[in-house]
Amino acid sequence: MATLRNLATKYSSISEEEIEWLELLALDWQLLADLALSDVVLWVPTENDEYLAVAHSRPAGSVTLFYRDVIGDFLRSDWRGLVDQAMTTGKRAVSTSPAWYEEHPMRLTAYSVNRIDAQGALQGPFAVLTVHTSVADTQPASRIGAAFREVAEDLFGMIQDGLFPTPSNSRGGEQGSPRASDGLVRINLEGEATFASPNTQTTFTTLGYRDEIEGENFAEVIAEIVKGQFDTNESLPLIAQGKIAKRVEIDARGRTVTLRSIPVFRDGARVGGIVLTRDVTELRQQAQELITRDATIREIHHRVKNNLQTVASLLRVQARRARSEEAKEVLGQAMRRVAAIAVVHDTLATGLSQIVDFDEVFARVLGLAAEVASLHGTTVHPHKEGSFGELPSEYATPLALALTEIVTNAVEHGLAGREGEVFIRADRNEQRLAVEVVDTGTGLPGGTVGDGLGTQIVRTLIEGELGGTIEWAPDAGGGTRVAIQFPLHWISTQTREMPRVRV
């Protein structure tokens, strides 16, 4: 979708409403290619009087005519006349002689793309789709191939009439949506199944229906399968007759089958419908397993957090009972380190993934710093600038622990016994995250950082765990500046879509 929108916005003058219509249509682009047994390409006119390809699907059950997709390519000059004809007349244009791509001859058909606006008026044409079929294709000779092609012709005709897609339609882009190869049933106006693909017949056999589907009222076939169930969808009979555009699931004999209906119109009148079917039992089982796994992971994080909080509480109690100040200091530092790790696990326990909003985590880290300030008679004013964004747990844990060390050190030593400020600045792009912590305290003793346990821990976390760099330096304002930077290898760089040469 991003590619289509980016290309159409940059190179075409079509409206936002037209782009949104094409995005809806593109969700069913694979279905159209599979039914047509052909490559299907969507073209938009450009401001330079060209046509640019913004969507392309290859047929799943046929050999493609293109060795690469043509998205971002300009229309070949020898195809231009046919596309102009479809765009001008708003009707189907068919090549009278073979068209060519490289060494492959093909039958080329062009259809205009129109839409119905909010007032019900036909708008367009504003784009063109082309169907590229091998001249050596023998599949239409089979009954299945002929049925698929006839359904494709119906849908292409509806696209020209602005009747497909419909905003309320259940889209092909949804997870588990039926594909043409999964199963297809053609329904006439009386609700009778005039064609049922072999895969549909097999699917319904597993649901307990042993008779032939063709020649039967499809709504009655569905009713036979779900007989005795009291929680069936009330719209199920309408879906089974192809009267409404909707998707529903039925369950029988431990199997789950999804049905997607598409009403078929010709010359503005409904002539029947098609129902796509798919056995999604394994998909639903996998989804349930993922839910169970996620729940288990969240429970583990919750228990780890509880255990870490218990350890932190024990360290706090032990620190209060310690007789020497040195022991209290060491136990207090250990308590804060454990608490910082617990914060990350607490955040992970509330989410559905191993990604955390680190701005939320860091807000709680500042709470630990405030606790340190209260222990040392310090008044600290923290200021956060920028955003950390979301980070995976393998980044969040070491970063939270490192920032806990740095911020609490600024409060405990740089601002000890006085009032001051701590500035935290986060600067993030697709490649790296940079963080600066600046305090208005007394600065580094002797102008250099020490080599104590805290410093060693921070270096290990930033350089070892995150593969980054860290620098301590005196700040121009008199305090200390700590600069952290590390790469974000887990983010995939988005490539820019640029138009290519003519195909």
Side-chain angles (χ1 to χ4, degrees):
M1 287 313 109
T3 301
L4 186 155
R5 172 170 288 275
N6 292 343
L7 290 173
T9 302
K10 188 170 183 179
Y11 297 98
S12 179
S13 58
I14 63 176
S15 67
E16 174 63 24
E17 291 79 9
E18 290 167 341
I19 292 176
E20 291 177 355
W21 188 271
L22 294 182
E23 287 179 327
L24 287 175
L25 178 59
L27 291 174
D28 276 316
W29 214 237
Q30 186 61 56
L31 173 65
L32 294 173
D34 291 346
L35 288 172
L37 305 172
S38 308
D39 286 79
V40 181
V41 184
L42 179 63
W43 306 88
V44 295
T46 71
E47 296 176 347
N48 296 325
D49 194 32
E50 304 251 24
Y51 288 95
L52 184 69
V54 295
H56 177 192
S57 281
R58 297 176 172 85
S62 301
V63 177
T64 179
L65 295 172
F66 298 87
Y67 62 87
R68 61 170 176 82
D69 70 66
V70 297
I71 296 175
D73 290 352
F74 290 108
L75 183 70
R76 289 171 58 106
S77 58
D78 53 329
W79 299 351
R80 177 68 185 256
L82 203 69
V83 171
D84 278 341
Q85 180 182 342
M87 192 75 167
T88 303
T89 64
K91 298 180 179 179
R92 182 180 72 165
V94 183
S95 61
T96 56
S97 58
W100 291 82
Y101 177 78
E102 303 299 339
E103 70 277 7
H104 302 297
M106 66 180 72
R107 293 191 298 272
L108 182 61
T109 310
Y111 300 83
S112 64
V113 178
N114 302 268
R115 70 182 182 92
I116 300 292
D117 63 17
Q119 287 71 42
L122 183 64
Q123 302 292 323
F126 59 90
V128 174
L129 69 86
T130 53
V131 182
H132 305 257
T133 308
S134 171
V135 296
D137 182 22
T138 60
Q139 292 193 72
S142 70
R143 185 165 179 266
I144 297 176
F148 275 31
R149 284 273 171 80
E150 290 170 3
V151 171
E153 284 293 330
D154 284 334
L155 294 183
F156 290 143
M158 290 168 60
I159 291 172
Q160 288 192 144
D161 294 337
L163 299 176
F164 186 84
T166 57
S168 62
N169 196 6
S170 181
R171 301 284 155 210
E174 297 174 350
Q175 183 181 18
S177 183
R179 300 158 299 194
S181 58
D182 294 317
L184 183 144
V185 182
R186 295 186 71 182
I187 312 294
N188 63 18
L189 269 178
E190 290 72 38
E192 178 184 317
T194 59
F195 170 81
S197 68
N199 284 347
T200 294
Q201 188 69 55
T202 299
T203 297
F204 275 65
T205 299
T206 64
L207 296 179
Y209 189 83
R210 299 286 180 177
D211 296 329
E212 290 291 330
I213 295 175
E214 290 184 15
E216 300 294 331
N217 184 291
F218 196 55
E220 295 177 1
V221 173
I222 299 296
E224 176 68 22
I225 291 172
V226 300
K227 182 172 59 179
Q229 298 182 16
F230 298 99
D231 57 348
T232 56
N233 193 311
E234 293 181 357
S235 62
L236 189 55
L238 298 177
I239 295 171
Q241 296 176 71
K243 290 184 176 181
I244 59 174
K246 198 170 183 181
R247 179 177 157 187
V248 71
E249 290 184 356
I250 59 175
D251 296 285
R253 295 196 172 190
R255 311 295 297 180
T256 301
V257 173
T258 185
L259 309 176
R260 180 192 173 191
S261 62
I262 302 175
V264 174
F265 293 84
R266 295 188 199 131
D267 300 322
R270 192 178 74 86
V271 296
I274 65 171
V275 180
L276 298 165
T277 67
R278 182 180 182 181
D279 188 332
V280 293
T281 305
E282 292 185 4
L283 288 178
R284 296 294 169 262
Q285 291 174 346
Q286 291 170 2
Q288 186 59 48
E289 290 172 359
L290 288 175
I291 293 172
T292 303
R293 187 203 67 177
D294 289 340
T296 302
I297 292 174
R298 290 199 302 272
E299 178 63 22
I300 290 172
H301 283 302
H302 181 71
R303 294 188 182 187
V304 170
K305 180 263 299 184
N306 287 345
N307 290 337
L308 290 173
Q309 287 181 337
T310 300
V311 173
S313 297
L314 292 174
L315 290 171
R316 182 182 287 108
V317 171
Q318 193 67 39
R320 289 173 179 171
R321 294 189 177 185
R323 296 183 179 181
S324 70
E325 291 300 319
E326 181 181 1
K328 289 182 179 181
E329 179 68 20
V330 170
L331 290 170
Q333 290 175 350
M335 179 273 296
R336 288 189 294 274
R337 290 163 185 159
V338 172
I341 300 174
V343 166
V344 177
H345 283 280
D346 189 27
T347 305
L348 290 169
T350 60
L352 294 176
S353 70
Q354 298 305 294
I355 305 294
V356 300
D357 182 351
F358 197 80
D359 293 284
E360 177 186 340
V361 171
F362 185 70
R364 298 172 67 177
V365 167
L366 286 180
L368 297 175
E371 181 179 338
V372 174
S374 65
L375 294 175
H376 291 80
T378 301
T379 301
V380 61
H381 302 285
H383 304 278
K384 177 178 171 290
E385 301 174 9
S387 174
F388 294 95
E390 293 185 335
L391 293 172
S393 58
E394 59 265 30
Y395 282 68
T397 300
L399 183 59
L401 190 50
L403 290 178
T404 299
E405 291 289 328
I406 294 169
V407 175
T408 55
N409 188 67
V411 172
E412 187 176 5
H413 300 291
L415 300 175
R418 53 182 289 183
E419 182 174 357
E421 297 176 301
V422 176
F423 298 89
I424 303 97
R425 303 183 181 97
D427 180 23
R428 173 176 177 162
N429 58 33
E430 291 183 349
Q431 287 76 39
R432 58 103 180 109
L433 174 62
V435 184
E436 272 193 351
V437 180
V438 180
D439 66 65
T440 59
T442 57
L444 294 170
T448 59
V449 67
D451 59 355
L453 178 61
T455 302
Q456 294 177 26
I457 289 176
V458 171
R459 284 193 185 279
T460 299
L461 292 169
I462 300 300
E463 297 176 352
E465 295 288 328
L466 298 177
T469 60
I470 181 168
E471 296 180 354
W472 285 265
D475 186 63
T480 302
R481 180 179 66 87
V482 184
I484 297 171
Q485 182 170 301
F486 59 90
L488 297 173
H489 297 300
W490 66 287
I491 295 181
S492 59
T493 303
Q494 299 295 320
T495 57
R496 295 181 60 188
E497 297 93 355
M498 295 297 292
R500 301 190 292 258
V501 299
R502 286 183 173 84
V503 298

